[in-house]
């Protein structure tokens, strides 16, 4: 089961680390990669089959890097804006001066723009369809921490709302080096839409929004009408009893190029955080995730 796979991860990582160290020693002693250095796991002098299915490892929240086939539900029904309209909107949204367009990008088609907020540069991608901010980056070095988790989440939600991303709730929080990383997701019925994430970076000294990424929302957001066929209690009963369960909730998650309504069963095992995703239709296991960052972050329930 997944707990045994988790333990096997450590074994394979240690073996991989040892193999890499051997390669570095070889290189340091003058051996070249072109001499035929091989990377393999060994035990008793023989290579082993390491094709174990491990939990997918995550660093910044469930499905934070998920990408489905590009359909752009979130912006395709909106009218196109011109370059001049994009520059004006960018300047007004962020009170910028010296706004200029750096170029164009595709998938989706967007204006790449830059402007100045005092002495700080602000960069953004704005979609041609609807003028939605897809990516935002504000140059800033954060100072001493003053804001709490709740204050950071409120600022992130307010900022996303101002940019046109509505009905969002915080689903993941992590703070590091004076910066909070807040993942937001819309809710459809009782289900969290992990497919439609908006990710916001907040400076913890003064609440400046240092970054935003909304490609998931612009790619996937549309009305859903999913109904679970099994209960949360039934889903919980399907996971290993060794998992100490902290929450069970409905969510929509990517599954290859499609999406599926699941129960997210969150819990811990031997001090590590896991998320098990079971189909709300038939209970099949869709995915297992484990947090691996040193500052693990926290699921927001």
């Amino acid at each position: 089961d997944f707990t045994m796979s988790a333990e096997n991860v450590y074994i394979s990582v240690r073996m991989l680390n040892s193999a890499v160290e051997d390669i570095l020693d070889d290189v340091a002693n003058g051996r070249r990669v072109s001499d035929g250095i091989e990377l393999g796991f060994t035990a008793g002098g023989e290579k082993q089959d390491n094709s174990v299915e491990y939990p997918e490892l995550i660093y910044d929240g469930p499905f934070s890097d998920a990408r489905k086939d590009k359909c752009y539900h979130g912006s395709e029904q909106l009218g196109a804006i011109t370059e001049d309209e994009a520059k004006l909107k960018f300047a007004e949204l962020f009170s910028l001066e010296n706004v200029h367009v750096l170029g164009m990008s595709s998938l989706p088609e967007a204006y790449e723009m830059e402007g100045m907020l005092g002495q700080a540069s602000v960069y953004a991608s704005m979609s041609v369809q609807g003028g939605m901010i897809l990516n935002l980056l504000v140059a800033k070095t954060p100072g001493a921490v003053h804001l709490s988790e709740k204050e950071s989440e409120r600022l992130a939600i307010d900022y996303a709302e101002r940019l046109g991303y509505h009905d969002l709730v915080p689903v993941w929080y992590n703070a590091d080096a004076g910066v909070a990383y807040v993942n937001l997701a819309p809710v459809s019925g009782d289900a969290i839409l992990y497919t439609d994430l908006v990710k916001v970076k907040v400076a913890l000294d003064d609440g400046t929004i240092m970054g935003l990424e909304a490609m998931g929302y612009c790619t996937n957001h549309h009305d859903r009408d999913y109904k679970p066929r099994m209960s949360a209690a039934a889903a919980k009963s399907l996971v290993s009893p060794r998992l100490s369960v902290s929450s069970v909730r409905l969510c929509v998650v990517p599954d290859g190029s499609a999406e599926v309504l699941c129960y997210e069963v969150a819990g811990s095992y031997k001090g590590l955080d896991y998320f098990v995703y079971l189909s709300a239709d038939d209970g099949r296991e869709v995915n297992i995730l484990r947090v691996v960052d040193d500052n693990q972050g926290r699921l927001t329930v």
Side-chain angles (χ1 to χ4, degrees), residues 84-97:
D84 286 340
E85 289 171 332
K87 289 168 61 179
L88 180 61
K89 183 173 183 177
F90 186 40
E92 291 179 344
L93 276 174
F94 304 106
S95 302
L96 302 177
E97 297 180 346

Side-chain angles (χ1 to χ4, degrees), residues 195 226 251-255 258-262 279-281 284 286:
T195 49
Y226 292 131
C251 59
V252 175
V253 305
D255 185 22
E259 62 182 37
V260 59
L261 181 67
C262 287
S279 167
D281 182 43
R284 71 180 175 89
V286 175

Side-chain angles (χ1 to χ4, degrees), residues 90-269:
F90 186 40
E92 291 179 344
L93 276 174
F94 304 106
S95 302
L96 302 177
E97 297 180 346
N98 302 324
V99 169
H100 56 283
V101 173
L102 302 172
M104 299 290 295
S105 58
S106 57
L107 299 176
E109 190 177 11
Y111 300 106
E112 305 296 330
M113 297 184 293
E114 186 177 34
M116 297 300 297
L117 180 59
Q119 299 299 312
S121 62
V122 180
Y123 166 83
S125 299
M126 182 181 289
S127 66
V128 172
Q129 295 299 129
M132 303 295 288
I133 297 294
L134 306 174
N135 291 283
L136 177 74
L137 180 62
V138 179
K140 173 183 166 61
T141 301
V145 172
H146 295 295
L147 299 179
S148 68
E149 176 179 338
K150 290 300 182 184
E151 289 170 327
S152 300
E153 290 176 344
R154 179 182 54 78
L155 288 169
I157 291 172
D158 290 347
Y159 201 84
E161 288 271 355
R162 187 159 66 88
L163 298 184
Y165 300 109
H166 303 295
D167 302 320
L168 301 174
V169 297
V171 294
W172 185 260
Y173 178 90
N174 196 11
D176 184 48
V179 176
Y181 302 88
V182 184
N183 288 3
L184 308 171
V187 180
S188 178
D190 295 325
I192 299 291
L193 304 181
Y194 278 124
T195 49
D196 303 14
L197 287 178
V198 177
K199 292 174 274 187
V200 184
K201 181 178 177 181
V202 183
L204 290 172
D205 55 353
D206 60 4
T208 297
I209 303 299
M210 297 177 59
L212 179 140
E213 194 268 297
M215 187 64 75
Y217 189 107
C218 287
T219 300
N220 303 312
H221 193 56
H222 62 285
D223 291 334
R224 275 88 158 181
D225 188 25
Y226 292 131
K227 295 289 189 291
R229 296 182 62 184
M230 62 185 299
S231 68
K236 182 179 178 180
S237 71
L238 295 176
V239 304
S240 170
R242 285 181 282 182
L243 184 70
S244 179
V245 175
S246 58
S247 67
V248 181
R249 64 181 178 186
L250 278 172
C251 59
V252 175
V253 305
D255 185 22
S257 61
E259 62 182 37
V260 59
L261 181 67
C262 287
Y263 282 104
E264 173 189 72
V265 184
S268 61
Y269 173 72

Side-chain angles (χ1 to χ4, degrees), residues 267-278:
S268 61
Y269 173 72
K270 290 189 175 181
L272 301 174
D273 294 330
Y274 290 88
F275 305 101
V276 182
Y277 294 89
L278 304 174

